[in-house]
Amino acid sequence: MASAIGSVLLFVISLLVGGLGIYVGARVITGVEDYSHAVVTAVVGALAWAVLSWIPLVGGLLALVAYVGVINWRYRGGWVNAILIALVAWVATAVVVFVLGAVGVPVTGIGVLGA
């Protein structure tokens, strides 16, 4: 039971970290300041990645396009802004994951690719 609670807690923290990365990216690129919107975007982006990434040969590329497409759909500014939001989100999430890992909290950034 304790490991199930720990797993759920780790999932929630990782989702919040991923949402924070997208929030930072959206705030820097588009000026949108809505953390809950970013967390929902992280969930939808993670689902798109999970559904498409397993496809042989082209899954990773399809998943990446779908992930950026989710950001494009959820935030204004077009594909260029969506790509920039994803890049800033990746950097911000990587920093948070590194800092938390350094103090012993082994999280990832759910909803941010590669973090």
Side-chain angles (χ1 to χ4, degrees):
M1 181 61 138
S3 69
I5 292 172
S7 295
V8 170
L9 184 61
L10 188 60
F11 172 80
V12 169
I13 291 170
S14 295
L15 180 59
L16 294 175
V17 168
L20 178 64
I22 293 174
Y23 170 82
V24 170
R27 179 138 180 353
V28 167
I29 302 303
T30 65
V32 174
E33 296 183 28
D34 188 345
Y35 181 68
S36 62
H37 190 79
V39 171
V40 171
T41 303
V43 169
V44 176
L47 289 172
W49 184 266
V51 167
L52 295 172
S53 65
W54 63 270
I55 298 171
L57 299 176
V58 296
L61 181 60
L62 289 175
L64 178 61
V65 171
Y67 173 74
V68 173
V70 166
I71 294 173
N72 184 40
W73 167 58
R74 301 275 297 157
Y75 291 96
R76 60 179 157 55
W79 285 94
V80 172
N81 276 0
I83 292 168
L84 293 174
I85 289 169
L87 288 172
V88 173
W90 181 81
V91 171
T93 303
V95 169
V96 172
V97 167
F98 176 78
V99 170
L100 289 176
V103 297
V105 181
V107 298
T108 61
I110 293 177
V112 175
L113 303 183

